[in-house]
């Protein structure tokens, strides 16, 4: 099958030719004709599947062939993304795909000055890529209007909800014209996403290009049990011993990211980081340097887990397991793409066994364990099994006299099962949109 047979116009075909895109990917085969016909889409597609071109190509074509010229401060198509990095990346793709078309595209996101964005919007933008928070700011300041909006794309909708954007999204949806085409892309499908899809989409075409919530088969995954305090030491040991090339490392906290970067640099490796405390330009610069191969180790919080298009990355290391199990799938989605094989290695300590069980349940697979001889943990990581089971919990110290009947669980906004982990931190599980765990924006 060719791009021409999907009904794309000449200027786009010329661009695709120049980019050496020879055949449409599965998501493109389904999405392009449907979007051209004006259908709503509900697409289960991860990064790496070619989903960006799947919506951008037909959108650019429609904007070129249909509808009035864009008015001042107006937008004709809107792509919402969860992170600044993804917004920037989508915008770059849109610009590349649309280079032979007379359209204006632009990206707006937080963390940078709003004034240039207001200036750019004055002329009107055919296709605007935006993160929800900044777009709402611009809308409230009358810098952007939606009367001309024909198409809304939600890219990585699950991530937007995970990051706590539900309220911003609701406010934005209320401001958009009801008569429009809507495309929803999500890597995972929680009840919250289904509810959102039910509210926003009309008779959508369902596209599923990778089995839901499964990690790419081409990625070899395993875990190494280790004591929490020896994780970075183990990482440095593996880095040297296994002669790894480029590695994308995920850590739980910004502090953890900075610490590992320091240690890796001290050991003589080129390392950089991406996390929410860094200003946007330096986040983008770190990513560019990593992509260009100038940096060997990129350490990130989950803000970088999705949407980043990094080619042929052989190695992903989870220094910490993610709190939200779905993030595991996104993290390791950075590797083993386009037929290449990759490795995803998780350094797991005893405290993380519940997260491990949740991840294994989600991916339907118990991760194989490989002990690293000099790093056998003092605190054993309990064995897990599918069904979210943790088989042998370590012996717990005897509890003082049991709480009065009915007080076994403590509810203080956060919850935890007091009988399970007496001294563990509460697992954040605030009832939010559809009951998913909410997190601070990274
Ligand atoms: P995405 O899933 O949209 O992030 O795209 C993943 C990568 O695949 C990007 O680097 C695209 O440039 C590339 N790509 C998308 N579609 C095609 C295609 N049909 N042929 C070759 N490469 C593609």
């Amino acid at each position: 099958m060719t791009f021409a047979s999907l009904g794309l116009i000449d200027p786009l075909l010329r661009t695709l030719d120049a980019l050496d895109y020879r055949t449409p990917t599965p998501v493109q085969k389904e999405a392009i004709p449907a979007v051209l016909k004006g259908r709503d889409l509900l697409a289960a597609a991860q990064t790496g599947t070619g989903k960006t071109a799947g919506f951008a190509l037909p959108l650019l074509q429609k904007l070129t062939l249909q509808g009035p010229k864009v008015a001042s401060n107006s937008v004709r198509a809107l792509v919402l993304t969860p992170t600044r990095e993804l917004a920037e990346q989508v915008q770059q793709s849109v610009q590349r795909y649309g280079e032979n078309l007379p359209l204006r595209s632009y990206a707006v996101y937080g963390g940078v000055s709003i004034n240039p964005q207001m200036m750019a919007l004055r002329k009107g933008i055919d296709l605007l890529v935006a993160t929800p928070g900044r777009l709402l700011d611009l809308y409230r300041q009358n810098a952007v209007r939606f009367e001309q909006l024909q198409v809304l794309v939600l890219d990585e909708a699950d991530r937007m909800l995970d990051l706590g954007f539900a309220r911003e999204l609701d406010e934005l949806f209320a401001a958009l014209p009801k008569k429009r085409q809507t495309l929803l892309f999500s890597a995972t499908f929680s009840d919250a996403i289904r509810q959102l899809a039910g509210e926003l989409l009309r008779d959508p075409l369902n596209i599923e290009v990778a089995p839901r919530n499964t990690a790419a088969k081409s990625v070899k995954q395993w875990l190494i049990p280790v004591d929490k305090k020896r994780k970075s030491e183990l990482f440095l040991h593996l880095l040297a011993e296994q002669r790894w090339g480029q590695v994308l490392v995920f850590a739980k906290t910004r502090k953890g990211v900075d610490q590992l970067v320091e240690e890796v640099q001290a050991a003589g490796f080129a390392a950089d980081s991406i996390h929410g405390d860094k200003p946007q330009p330096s986040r983008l610069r770190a990513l560019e340097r990593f992509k260009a191969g100038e940096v060997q180790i990129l350490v990130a919080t989950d803000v970088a887990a999705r949407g980043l298009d990094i080619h042929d990355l052989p190695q992903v290391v989870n220094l910490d397991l993610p709190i939200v199990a779905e993030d595991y799938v996104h993290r390791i989605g950075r590797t083993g793409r386009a037929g290449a094989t990759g490795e995803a290695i998780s350094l797991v300590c005893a405290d993380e066994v519940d997260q491990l069980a949740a991840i294994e349940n989600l991916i339907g697979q118990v991760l194989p364990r490989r002990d690293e001889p000099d790093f056998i943990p003092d605190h054993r990581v309990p064995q897990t099994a599918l069904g979210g089971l943790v088989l042998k919990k370590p012996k717990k110290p005897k509890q003082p006299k049991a709480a009065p009947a009915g007080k076994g669980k403590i509810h203080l906004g956060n919850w935890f099962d007091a009988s399970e982990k007496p001294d563990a931190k509460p697992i954040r599980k605030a009832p939010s949109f559809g009951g998913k765990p909410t997190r601070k924006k990274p």
Side-chain angles (χ1 to χ4, degrees):
M1 183 180 280
T2 61
F3 280 105
S5 68
L6 297 179
L8 292 178
I9 52 177
D10 248 9
L12 287 171
L13 294 176
R14 273 188 279 128
T15 307
L16 293 172
D17 208 34
L19 289 171
D20 206 24
Y21 287 14
R22 289 168 198 275
T23 42
T25 65
V27 69
Q28 291 164 1
K29 273 181 207 156
E30 297 200 57
I32 291 172
V35 176
L36 287 175
K37 275 194 213 126
R39 274 197 83 168
D40 283 2
L41 279 193
L42 178 59
Q46 300 183 17
T47 310
T49 55
K51 70 182 163 74
T52 315
F55 65 75
L57 293 169
L59 273 191
L60 289 166
Q61 174 153 333
K62 286 178 68 132
L63 293 171
T64 306
L65 301 181
Q66 301 167 13
K69 204 168 160 312
V70 70
S72 178
N73 288 102
S74 289
V75 296
R76 298 170 65 209
L78 174 63
V79 181
L80 291 176
T81 69
T83 63
R84 306 153 187 187
E85 280 80 8
L86 184 60
E88 193 56 44
Q89 190 173 291
V90 168
Q91 157 62 2
Q92 282 169 11
S93 298
V94 165
Q95 223 160 25
R96 213 165 21 177
Y97 300 143
E99 68 183 5
N100 291 322
L101 299 174
L103 297 172
R104 265 200 299 272
S105 62
Y106 192 70
V108 295
Y109 41 78
V112 293
S113 167
I114 200 167
N115 291 333
Q117 299 178 351
M118 292 177 124
M119 298 280 285
L121 283 164
R122 261 184 219 163
K123 286 185 236 151
I125 298 292
D126 293 289
L127 193 158
L128 183 70
V129 187
T131 53
R134 176 53 60 94
L135 183 63
L136 202 54
D137 267 2
L138 288 159
Y139 175 69
R140 287 179 182 147
Q141 298 187 49
N142 293 323
V144 62
R145 310 160 56 96
F146 298 120
E147 290 88 347
Q148 285 193 318
L149 189 100
Q150 300 168 32
V151 189
L152 167 69
V153 182
L154 298 179
D155 197 6
E156 307 206 342
D158 47 355
R159 184 67 168 165
M160 281 196 268
L161 296 188
D162 285 351
L163 292 178
F165 281 129
R167 200 186 48 75
E168 283 92 339
L169 288 177
D170 280 346
E171 197 170 336
L172 285 169
F173 296 153
L176 302 181
K178 295 284 161 285
K179 192 169 166 295
R180 59 159 200 261
Q181 186 178 10
T182 307
L183 320 177
L184 190 154
F185 289 80
S186 191
T188 55
F189 281 82
S190 60
D191 290 346
I193 290 292
R194 293 186 186 287
Q195 187 186 332
L196 187 68
E199 285 162 14
L200 293 182
L201 305 176
R202 272 185 223 130
D203 181 29
L205 175 70
N206 286 287
I207 300 180
E208 188 161 354
V209 291
R212 229 198 290 160
N213 295 348
T214 53
K217 289 214 172 44
S218 50
V219 182
K220 287 194 208 123
Q221 308 163 58
W222 71 90
L223 67 85
I224 305 178
V226 62
D227 279 331
K228 193 190 222 160
K229 58 181 186 301
R230 296 194 70 197
K231 282 187 170 191
S232 50
E233 191 191 337
L234 172 58
F235 176 76
L236 286 169
H237 166 81
L238 294 168
L239 182 60
E241 180 165 89
Q242 309 280 324
R243 296 170 193 275
W244 282 338
Q246 280 198 299
V247 190
L248 180 58
V249 188
F250 288 101
K252 191 167 54 186
T253 61
R254 298 161 189 189
K255 200 166 145 231
V257 167
D258 287 339
Q259 262 169 11
L260 187 69
V261 167
E262 257 175 48
E263 289 177 45
V264 170
Q265 284 173 340
F269 296 91
D272 209 336
S273 65
I274 300 188
H275 58 62
D277 275 351
K278 290 188 104 179
Q280 183 60 12
S282 73
R283 283 159 65 167
L284 285 175
R285 198 163 52 242
L287 181 63
E288 289 311 319
R289 289 178 63 212
F290 186 66
K291 282 187 180 181
E294 292 163 22
V295 164
Q296 186 183 350
I297 314 292
L298 185 65
V299 191
T301 53
D302 278 297
V303 76
R306 297 201 191 184
L308 299 187
D309 181 25
I310 299 167
H311 283 288
D312 304 329
L313 182 69
Q315 216 77 41
V316 166
V317 172
N318 294 313
L319 190 77
D320 305 303
L321 288 181
I323 304 282
V324 179
E326 277 92 354
D327 281 341
Y328 177 84
V329 179
H330 298 295
R331 287 179 177 191
I332 76 165
R334 313 295 84 238
T335 178
R337 294 166 70 175
T341 51
E343 294 180 343
I345 302 152
S346 302
L347 313 188
V348 179
C349 67
D351 283 1
E352 293 173 307
V353 70
D354 291 333
Q355 284 149 263
L356 175 64
I359 288 164
E360 291 177 333
N361 214 27
L362 179 75
I363 62 174
Q365 178 192 342
V366 173
L367 291 176
R369 296 178 177 216
R370 293 189 192 169
D371 285 328
E372 192 61 36
D374 292 334
F375 291 85
I376 307 289
D378 293 336
H379 300 281
R380 212 172 48 81
V381 181
Q383 195 59 50
T384 49
L386 286 188
L389 292 179
V390 176
L391 295 182
K392 290 175 224 146
K393 285 220 144 203
K395 286 222 163 60
K396 284 174 282 183
K398 272 233 151 81
Q399 288 293 296
K401 215 171 160 19
K407 297 259 176 76
K409 291 185 181 179
I410 301 171
H411 295 274
L412 289 170
N414 293 327
W415 68 257
F416 65 97
D417 183 339
S419 64
E420 281 267 305
K421 297 189 97 188
D423 51 9
K425 273 197 179 160
I427 298 166
R428 255 189 289 140
K429 213 172 180 187
S432 68
F433 205 94
K436 276 210 81 150
T438 48
R439 287 188 304 177
K440 275 172 123 181
K441 285 159 208 168

